[in-house]
Amino acid sequence: MIRTVRSREVYRNPWMTVREDDIRRPDGSTGLYGVVDKPDYALVIPRDTDGGLHLVEQYRYPVAGRYWEFPQGSWPAGHEGAPPLELARAELREETGLRAARMTYLGLVHVAYGYASQGCHVFLAEELTEGPPEREASEADMRQRRAGPAEWRDLVRAGRITDAATLAAYTLLELRRGEGG
């Protein structure tokens, strides 16, 4: 197991910190590891009774493009430690206006565990009712759509869904379907 010898913060902003860790490997050799620390977040798969999935599209600055994904997000500063289910319900309402009578936890996905500590709690939202979205200013350009199974596959094939957490969440959903859920 790798052991941390020394850790130091090298960057911080309101959304993340970056640290460098001096490490010692099991064979005794030493090295340096850079880690991005971000709070965990929730991702919601809103599914209609006929299997249609609700997606949102927004501009993602780091990759300079608009992509479709499942509603997702983290709490603003000061809310850390609140249950992931509360966050999932809030993100669903804020980004889509949908409310779910039933929420099922599907699992945890580590987004990029080769360099980041962040995890994603995945929920299935069912028995949906519509309402107005409550988007934050940073989500003002967000679009929303419903996609049936064939449309979902077309969006993935066309490179319109590339978000790793969305694709991993869909895998968790498919595993649940295979178990009768």
Side-chain angles (χ1 to χ4, degrees):
M1 180 188 262
I2 295 174
R3 190 171 60 85
T4 304
V5 175
R6 184 174 73 124
S7 185
R8 61 196 163 282
E9 185 178 294
V10 294
Y11 176 78
R12 173 181 290 274
N13 69 31
W15 305 277
M16 68 180 187
T17 60
V18 178
R19 70 174 200 267
E20 284 186 346
D21 293 348
D22 295 323
I23 61 163
R24 184 170 313 283
R25 296 181 189 89
D27 68 0
S29 64
T30 59
L32 179 68
Y33 221 106
V35 178
V36 176
D37 286 317
K38 291 185 69 150
D40 286 357
Y41 66 101
L43 178 147
V44 185
I45 304 172
R47 182 173 71 178
D48 289 335
T49 54
D50 66 355
L53 304 173
H54 292 264
L55 302 167
V56 294
E57 182 199 51
Q58 62 183 317
Y59 182 78
R60 291 298 192 174
Y61 179 81
V63 293
R66 296 187 66 86
Y67 296 92
W68 292 98
E69 61 194 40
F70 289 126
Q72 57 189 282
S74 57
W75 286 116
H79 288 87
E80 296 86 356
L85 177 58
E86 285 181 30
L87 176 58
R89 286 190 183 281
E91 288 299 322
L92 179 64
R93 183 183 65 253
E94 288 172 12
E95 294 188 4
T96 68
L98 297 170
R99 276 82 171 157
R102 184 171 55 180
M103 297 282 283
T104 305
Y105 187 71
L106 297 181
L108 175 71
V109 174
H110 285 106
V111 181
Y113 63 23
Y115 66 85
S117 62
Q118 187 175 46
C120 172
H121 298 275
V122 178
F123 292 86
L124 173 62
E126 298 176 291
E127 299 173 25
L128 305 172
T129 56
E130 293 184 20
E134 301 171 10
R135 296 182 180 135
E136 301 169 0
S138 64
E139 299 167 333
D141 71 336
M142 187 175 278
R143 297 179 192 142
Q144 179 178 345
R145 74 175 288 179
R146 182 189 173 285
E151 294 167 292
W152 165 269
R153 288 188 295 276
D154 290 345
L155 288 167
V156 172
R157 284 186 191 113
R160 301 301 303 136
I161 297 175
T162 62
D163 175 54
T166 292
L167 295 167
Y170 188 80
T171 299
L172 291 174
L173 177 63
E174 287 297 304
L175 289 172
R176 178 175 169 76
R177 283 184 188 159
E179 296 165 356

